[in-house]
């Protein structure tokens, strides 16, 4: 049993009730289908419609745009519960991208897309990474050329979360000069769109039920009123403005996985016998679990503090970078140490700890590689 955390102001009884509702829904309506979804490599888009109807998709959106007007803490609770249940966090990508529309979109754009995203009718992704461009956004090569009242988009994207199942994309494209000033975000409705093609459903070492795809744009025509905010050249600034929240969507699942890995390992070591006694009774096991429990407590306390600062509008980018890299590093270390205590069974894919092991590794890569996070922190020292 982990020590009780100091209750932050955001952790009120309403949020605890909401958490319980989300957890029950996931267990009853989604978890039973997870093996089949892992096998096919994606969660069907229609799965998210009832999830949205329950108010779980984008609860933080204002009521005028289909949400409940709740604080962002409610969304982060969803992103805590999904990975805890081993569910692919499609909502993470959907929520990150939806906040671009909410914070930078024109009123017409908000009215057009946010209600459908909140209800689960539409699923959103952000097409940023390219085959030759990852963290270095200034090197984006996908181009959107103005042609009358349309943009013509040509290029390719890869490693796109929700890329296979989404029907709405925010595409990071070059509309102007080289470098950061020439980037724009263009919202693209992909259903039956000429020139748009989904390539391979990528075969990853983990997150097998989370679709990750290649995308191709060959002369794709999009009306100019779908550039986010109605103005060209603001893409880089818009991307940078969402970083604190985006980093928290990585730190929160890290805390959830650490908590769950500890629970599973304590349970297993109390049942598993070695030399005639439970593994838990070995001092080396108990001390290692004590170390992990301490790490879990510190991670959760740090994450809670960052959430509170995010809600207060005081979460600086550097703190978010710290939360992203440090919590994901602890996640990978803890899951590795927990797997070791399962012995050979820990290497069997049927055991949750094995799946957590492969799932965790990408946390140090996406959302900005941890080495980049450290460099960004160091620049402010």
């Amino acid at each position: 049993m982990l020590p009780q955390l100091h209750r932050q102001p955001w952790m009120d009884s309403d949020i605890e009730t909401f958490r319980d509702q989300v957890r029950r829904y996931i267990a009853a309506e989604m978890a039973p289908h997870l093996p089949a979804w892992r096998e096919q490599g994606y969660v069907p888009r229609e799965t998210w419609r009832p999830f949205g109807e329950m108010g779980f998709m984008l609860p933080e959106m204002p009521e005028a745009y289909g949400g409940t007007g709740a604080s962002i803490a409610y969304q982060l609770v969803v992103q805590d519960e999904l990975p805890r249940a081993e569910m692919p966090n499609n909502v993470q990508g959907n929520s990150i991208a939806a906040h671009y529309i909410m914070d930078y979109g024109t009123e017409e754009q908000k009215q057009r897309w946010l209600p459908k995203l909140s209800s689960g009718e539409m699923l959103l992704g952000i097409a940023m990474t390219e085959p030759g461009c990852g963290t270095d956004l200034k090197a984006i090569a996908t181009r959107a050329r103005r042609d009358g009242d349309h943009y013509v988009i040509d290029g390719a994207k890869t490693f796109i979360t929700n890329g296979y199942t989404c029907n709405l994309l925010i595409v990071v494209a070059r509309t102007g000069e080289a470098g950061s000033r020439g980037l724009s975000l263009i919202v693209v409705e992909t259903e039956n769109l000429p020139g748009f093609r989904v390539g391979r459903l990528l075969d990853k070492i983990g997150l097998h039920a989370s679709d990750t795809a290649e995308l191709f744009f060959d002369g794709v025509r999009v009306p100019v009123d779908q550039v986010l905010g109605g103005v060209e050249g603001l893409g880089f600034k818009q991307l940078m403005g969402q970083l604190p929240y985006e980093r928290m969507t990585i730190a929160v699942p890290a805390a959830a996985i650490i908590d769950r890995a500890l629970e599973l390992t304590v349970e297993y070591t109390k049942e598993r016998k070695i030399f005639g006694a439970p593994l838990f009774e070995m001092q080396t096991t108990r001390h290692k679990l004590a170390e992990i429990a301490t790490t879990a407590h510190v991670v959760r306390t740090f994450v809670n503090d960052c959430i509170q600062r995010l809600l207060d509008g005081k979460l600086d980018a550097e703190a978010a970078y710290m939360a992203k890299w440090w919590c994901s590093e602890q996640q990978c270390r803890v899951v590795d140490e927990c797997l070791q205590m399962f012995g050979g069974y820990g290497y069997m894919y049927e055991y949750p700890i094995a799946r957590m092991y492969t799932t965790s590794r990408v946390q140090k890569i996406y959302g900005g590689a941890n080495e980049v996070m450290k460099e960004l922190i160091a620049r402010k020292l």
Side-chain angles (χ1 to χ4, degrees):
M1 177 69 68
L2 284 173
Q4 287 294 313
L5 293 171
H6 169 68
R7 182 175 289 276
Q8 300 277 343
W10 70 268
M11 297 171 64
D12 59 26
S13 59
D14 288 341
I15 290 182
E16 291 297 341
T17 299
F18 178 78
R19 180 190 294 277
D20 183 64
Q21 292 171 342
V22 173
R23 183 174 294 183
R24 289 174 180 270
Y25 182 88
I26 292 171
E29 304 296 333
M30 304 178 86
H33 304 286
L34 192 49
W37 292 339
R38 288 196 195 102
E39 185 69 24
Q40 69 184 16
Y42 64 93
V43 178
R45 187 193 305 155
E46 56 268 22
T47 300
W48 302 109
R49 188 64 182 267
F51 196 77
E53 291 171 352
M54 290 292 293
F56 300 154
M57 203 71 175
L58 290 170
E60 73 275 22
M61 291 296 155
E63 292 183 18
Y65 306 127
T68 63
S71 78
I72 193 65
Y74 283 76
Q75 175 62 240
L76 293 175
V77 163
V78 175
Q79 295 185 34
D80 195 306
E81 290 300 321
L82 284 167
R84 178 183 174 84
E86 294 189 74
M87 283 296 303
N89 205 348
N90 300 72
V91 177
Q92 178 191 47
N94 190 75
S95 175
I96 290 171
H99 277 260
Y100 285 99
I101 297 175
M102 182 64 222
D103 292 349
Y104 307 122
T106 64
E107 184 59 28
E108 189 277 333
Q109 289 171 345
K110 294 176 187 179
Q111 293 285 355
R112 179 175 178 179
W113 292 309
L114 289 177
K116 293 180 180 179
L117 293 170
S118 296
S119 69
E121 179 180 347
M122 299 189 93
L123 187 65
L124 178 60
I126 182 161
M128 189 182 310
T129 306
E130 298 184 356
C133 167
T135 304
D136 184 10
L137 296 177
K138 296 178 183 179
I140 290 286
T142 295
R143 178 163 291 279
R145 173 178 54 84
R146 183 72 180 262
D147 181 25
D149 59 357
H150 283 77
Y151 288 108
V152 180
I153 304 175
D154 291 286
K157 301 290 184 177
T158 194
F159 307 142
I160 306 305
T161 300
N162 294 346
Y164 188 78
T165 55
C166 73
N167 47 5
L168 190 67
L169 275 173
I170 295 178
V171 179
V172 184
R174 186 162 299 286
T175 53
E177 61 189 84
S180 61
R181 295 182 180 180
L183 296 179
S184 299
L185 305 186
I186 301 174
V187 187
V188 179
E189 298 183 18
T190 61
E191 292 280 0
N192 302 314
L193 181 63
F196 172 75
R197 179 170 64 89
V198 178
R200 290 185 301 149
L201 187 60
L202 299 173
D203 188 14
K204 308 178 296 296
I205 66 170
L207 291 173
H208 292 148
S210 176
D211 69 274
T212 308
E214 299 172 321
L215 305 177
F216 299 96
F217 304 82
D218 183 11
V220 173
R221 297 181 66 84
V222 181
V224 294
D225 63 4
Q226 291 181 207
V227 64
L228 192 62
V231 181
E232 283 187 9
L234 299 180
F236 189 78
K237 182 179 180 180
Q238 292 167 341
L239 291 166
M240 294 301 102
Q242 293 298 315
L243 290 181
Y245 170 61
E246 181 178 347
R247 303 319 186 209
M248 291 311 301
T249 67
I250 297 173
V252 168
I257 293 297
I258 289 171
D259 288 347
R260 184 58 178 152
L262 176 58
E263 291 173 4
L264 290 171
T265 308
V266 169
E267 180 181 294
Y268 179 81
T269 57
K270 287 183 176 180
E271 294 176 351
R272 175 70 170 174
K273 290 189 176 181
I274 183 169
F275 305 127
L279 181 59
F280 186 82
E281 291 187 10
M282 295 183 67
Q283 186 183 68
T284 52
T285 300
R286 294 199 308 275
H287 285 190
K288 176 54 67 177
L289 289 170
E291 292 174 6
I292 293 171
T294 303
T295 298
H297 185 76
V298 174
V299 167
R300 183 62 74 174
T301 301
F302 183 21
V303 167
N304 278 340
D305 179 66
C306 287
I307 292 173
Q308 186 63 61
R309 293 165 66 185
L310 180 66
L311 294 172
D312 294 339
K314 298 178 180 178
L315 181 63
D316 57 279
E318 287 69 41
Y321 300 149
M322 292 175 185
K324 190 276 177 184
W325 88 258
W326 190 77
C327 293
S328 64
E329 292 280 349
Q330 300 312 307
Q331 175 185 351
C332 289
R333 180 181 64 81
V334 163
V335 172
D336 181 69
E337 292 177 343
C338 287
L339 186 151
Q340 186 71 17
M341 284 181 270
F342 278 76
Y345 290 105
Y347 203 66
M348 300 297 107
Y349 192 70
E350 65 190 88
Y351 277 70
I353 196 68
R355 298 191 294 269
M356 288 181 184
Y357 183 81
T358 55
T359 293
S360 295
R361 186 58 182 84
V362 74
Q363 286 268 89
K364 297 198 288 186
I365 299 173
Y366 61 17
N370 283 359
E371 291 76 12
V372 175
M373 297 299 100
K374 295 175 188 178
E375 178 62 25
L376 294 173
I377 295 166
R379 291 177 184 178
K380 292 292 184 178
L381 296 179

